[in-house]
Amino acid sequence: MRLTVNRFIEVTIMKDIDQIFDDLSSMNSEEVQARGIEAARQIKHLTVLIMPLMNKPIWYNCAKVIAEKSDEELKPYFMLLLRWLQDFNWPGADIIYDRLLEVNDESFIDDYRISLSMAQKSGDRPWEAALNDFGIDYEKRHTGVKDMRGHEVQ
């Protein structure tokens, strides 16, 4: 009986997330998208909203929901969010860029440096350039903290 109850819960949750994703699609009316955004705000594990595979039409609205979260809520996802900057043509990349500029958390700088190193080692020049541009913008916005290369900003 327990397995059946767990399976029921799993199926119900999957139907809910499927409905949320359907509603988030940019192909829908603004009213339906707003319903999807409202429902997505209740999702606690944000990984499902970070560039969902095979579902680019929902990325922009996912980015809107993610951008509303606090630094503390986003902290476990900083590196995943930095990957969103790999291509500024991706829906929501501009929203994530702007939200990440607001982050005020020392661990974010470490995640940024790791992401930049990954971009360099993988030879992903567009992502590396995007991260370098981001680093410059971040440094301008956050005076008095260590910059992205570890120097004090005046």
Side-chain angles (χ1 to χ4, degrees):
M1 182 68 161
R2 183 170 174 82
L3 184 59
T4 306
V5 170
N6 286 342
R7 180 69 181 139
F8 173 77
I9 292 169
E10 181 180 313
V11 168
T12 302
I13 290 169
M14 290 306 293
K15 283 185 181 178
D16 289 345
I17 197 73
D18 286 344
Q19 184 62 56
I20 292 169
F21 277 18
D22 287 346
D23 289 350
L24 285 171
S25 175
S26 60
M27 314 287 247
N28 291 324
S29 68
E30 287 186 24
E31 181 181 329
V32 172
Q33 290 180 57
R35 183 178 66 216
I37 289 169
E38 187 59 38
R41 287 180 176 133
Q42 307 310 311
I43 296 173
K44 291 181 183 176
H45 300 285
L46 300 180
T47 49
V48 298
L49 297 176
I50 300 173
M51 300 183 303
L53 293 175
M54 309 299 291
N55 216 341
K56 271 192 183 174
I58 74 169
W59 286 17
Y60 188 79
N61 285 324
C62 287
K64 286 181 179 179
V65 173
I66 290 167
E68 295 175 354
K69 302 299 181 182
S70 70
D71 288 359
E72 193 60 34
E73 290 171 299
L74 294 179
K75 190 173 185 170
Y77 309 103
F78 287 156
M79 286 187 55
L80 290 173
L81 293 171
L82 286 161
R83 284 188 166 273
W84 209 319
L85 307 184
Q86 282 180 294
D87 187 336
F88 267 86
N89 293 313
W90 288 345
D94 57 330
I95 294 171
I96 297 301
Y97 188 98
D98 290 343
R99 175 59 183 92
L100 292 177
L101 284 176
E102 300 299 323
V103 170
N104 193 13
D105 186 293
E106 279 294 319
S107 68
F108 177 72
I109 295 171
D110 294 335
D111 288 342
Y112 166 83
R113 289 179 180 151
I114 292 168
S115 296
L116 182 59
S117 176
M118 288 170 45
Q120 292 165 339
K121 288 178 183 174
S122 69
D124 190 334
R125 298 294 174 235
W127 186 29
E128 181 182 354
L131 289 174
N132 279 322
D133 289 345
F134 175 85
I136 291 166
D137 289 344
Y138 190 88
E139 291 168 10
K140 288 177 185 175
R141 191 162 293 190
H142 296 271
T143 58
V145 298
K146 287 196 176 275
D147 74 11
M148 299 311 220
R149 289 172 297 284
H151 303 101
E152 288 294 326
V153 177
Q154 301 302 326

